[in-house]
Amino acid sequence: AGAEVQAGDVLVRLNSQELTARVRQAEQALQAAIATRDQKKTDFDRASRVFETNALTAAEFDRHRTELSVAEAELVRAEQALKEATIVLSYATIAAPKAGRIVDRIAEPGDTATPGVPLLVLYDVQSLRLEAPVMEELAVTLKPRQQVKVRVDAIGREFDAEIDEIVPQADARSRSFLVKAKLPKLDGLYEGMFGRLLVRAGQRRHLIVPAEAVAEVGQLQFVQVEHPDGTLERRFVKTGRVHPGGRIEVLSGLSAGERGVLD
């Protein structure tokens, strides 16, 4: 674990003595098939010359032709058997499909490899992506290769990402689509971290004031409003979301255009 590898580096070598023996047997069988085919080809050519002089019966000639066809078929079968054995032997050597870092080595020397059970985990920072369920009315507005915003709270950053795939099947229970966005390579960004996919849901108008204009008395909030004649009025308000830049949304109690006094 922790080793840096490049694409093509050998990661695991399985015990291949039995597979190697099968390859050698297939090679020997191929050599025997080639020798048999060559002998049958020679016999057939000789039979053809004799048959032209009417010194060989048609039945004997057909027998030589059949034996040549069988030998050629056996040669093809031996070639395919060697190819199959070679492919199986190649499975005994596991190479890195891409560059990355080994984050976990599950198998130890002497363990038995089992199909479907991982031997090690390779981490590739270039293949990180965020998978997020997006409600269907918003998912239909997204397209592959579209640029979106992603926020990762752990590193306190918001950055651009590219939609890589939209799974074309909705979840009936949540009425959402799974959207996959390709992430850039960033320091501190690791597999398994929590992130948010920011999808524009629309626009709305709202009234905001500087946060320092809102005073609190217990659970009550109010703003000092200046009238045109210079008098002040304490106006109780109801606030909502806090916006960037030290501003806060006012849901009720104020109207656009009124002047508030900063505390």
Side-chain angles (χ1 to χ4, degrees):
E4 297 285 346
V5 298
Q6 300 298 322
D9 288 354
V10 176
L11 304 180
V12 179
R13 292 187 187 275
L14 303 179
N15 190 325
S16 59
Q17 294 181 356
E18 180 180 354
L19 301 179
T20 302
R22 291 182 182 179
V23 171
R24 292 175 179 173
Q25 291 175 1
E27 291 175 344
Q28 294 173 358
L30 177 60
Q31 295 299 323
I34 293 175
T36 302
R37 191 277 314 269
D38 292 344
Q39 180 62 44
K40 296 301 181 182
K41 182 68 168 56
T42 302
D43 294 343
F44 176 75
D45 292 340
R46 185 183 301 111
S48 297
R49 292 191 296 270
V50 175
F51 182 71
E52 292 176 355
T53 62
N54 296 323
L56 187 69
T57 63
E60 287 293 325
F61 178 73
D62 291 340
R63 182 178 63 80
H64 285 289
R65 181 165 54 186
T66 301
E67 290 177 351
L68 176 60
S69 299
V70 172
E72 290 176 342
E74 287 295 326
L75 176 59
V76 172
R77 188 181 67 83
E79 291 174 345
Q80 294 299 324
L82 177 58
K83 183 181 298 184
E84 178 182 355
T86 303
I87 293 175
V88 174
L89 177 61
S90 67
Y91 295 157
T93 301
I94 302 176
K98 57 181 66 176
R101 180 187 301 114
I102 304 300
V103 296
D104 192 11
R105 192 183 78 174
I106 303 171
E108 297 295 335
D111 291 349
T112 299
T114 304
V117 178
L119 302 178
L120 49 81
V121 179
L122 176 64
Y123 169 68
D124 176 21
V125 297
Q126 301 291 345
S127 62
L128 280 180
R129 65 182 182 185
L130 177 70
E131 298 185 358
V134 179
M135 60 181 66
E136 55 188 17
E137 57 266 28
L138 296 180
V140 295
T141 65
L142 302 176
K143 298 179 180 180
R145 296 187 297 275
Q146 179 179 339
Q147 295 293 319
V148 292
K149 291 289 186 180
V150 169
R151 180 186 300 139
V152 178
D153 297 339
I155 61 176
R157 294 190 59 179
E158 183 176 310
F159 45 86
D160 293 327
E162 182 181 282
I163 294 179
D164 189 40
E165 179 186 357
I166 302 176
V167 178
Q169 182 178 8
D171 186 344
R173 291 176 298 179
S174 62
R175 299 179 60 186
S176 63
F177 286 86
L178 183 62
V179 178
K180 303 177 182 180
K182 185 178 180 181
L183 302 180
K185 180 180 179 181
L186 294 175
D187 293 337
L189 190 62
Y190 299 103
E191 181 182 5
M193 298 180 71
F194 175 79
R196 290 184 172 90
L197 181 67
L198 307 182
V199 181
R200 183 179 296 276
Q203 296 180 344
R204 67 182 181 92
R205 295 177 60 86
H206 51 264
L207 179 65
I208 58 174
V209 297
E212 58 266 28
V214 180
E216 295 185 359
V217 177
Q219 296 182 352
L220 301 178
Q221 297 175 313
F222 64 89
V223 174
Q224 293 283 1
V225 178
E226 181 183 12
H227 292 290
D229 59 1
T231 59
L232 298 179
E233 175 191 358
R234 176 181 288 186
R235 186 84 56 80
F236 291 99
V237 297
K238 181 179 180 181
T239 61
R241 297 172 53 191
V242 177
H243 292 264
R247 300 176 297 173
I248 189 170
E249 184 177 341
V250 177
L251 303 178
S252 63
L254 290 179
S255 300
E258 290 186 304
R259 295 174 60 86
V261 178
L262 300 181
D263 187 3

